[in-house]
Amino acid sequence: MSKLSIAIVLLSIAAGNAQGDSNELAISIVEKTCHLCHGMNGEASNAIYPRLAGQNRSYLVK
């Protein structure tokens, strides 16, 4: 599984009903990797990277 796939899965968990360690793990991954392309809040400033902010769980999992 690629790093991006893992990050997306963890972000979808964080967006759902997950709490505690799952949220902390997802935040850690975003801070280390995802923010480089998608921004810290999922609002990419470059058109080649999709915006993640406001997307539903199904989109993020897919």
Side-chain angles (χ1 to χ4, degrees):
M1 196 180 258
S2 72
K3 289 181 182 180
L4 180 58
S5 297
I6 293 169
I8 290 172
V9 169
L10 291 172
L11 286 170
S12 68
I13 291 169
N17 293 327
Q19 296 178 11
D21 293 336
S22 295
N23 284 340
E24 291 173 18
L25 181 58
I27 290 169
S28 172
I29 290 171
V30 169
E31 290 175 345
K32 292 177 185 173
T33 309
C34 302
H35 81 280
L36 297 171
C37 301
H38 300 284
M40 281 304 294
N41 296 314
E43 298 174 356
S45 60
N46 189 323
I48 65 170
Y49 302 111
R51 287 185 63 136
L52 299 177
Q55 295 295 339
N56 61 53
R57 181 184 173 128
S58 298
Y59 176 86
L60 295 174
V61 170
K62 188 176 182 181

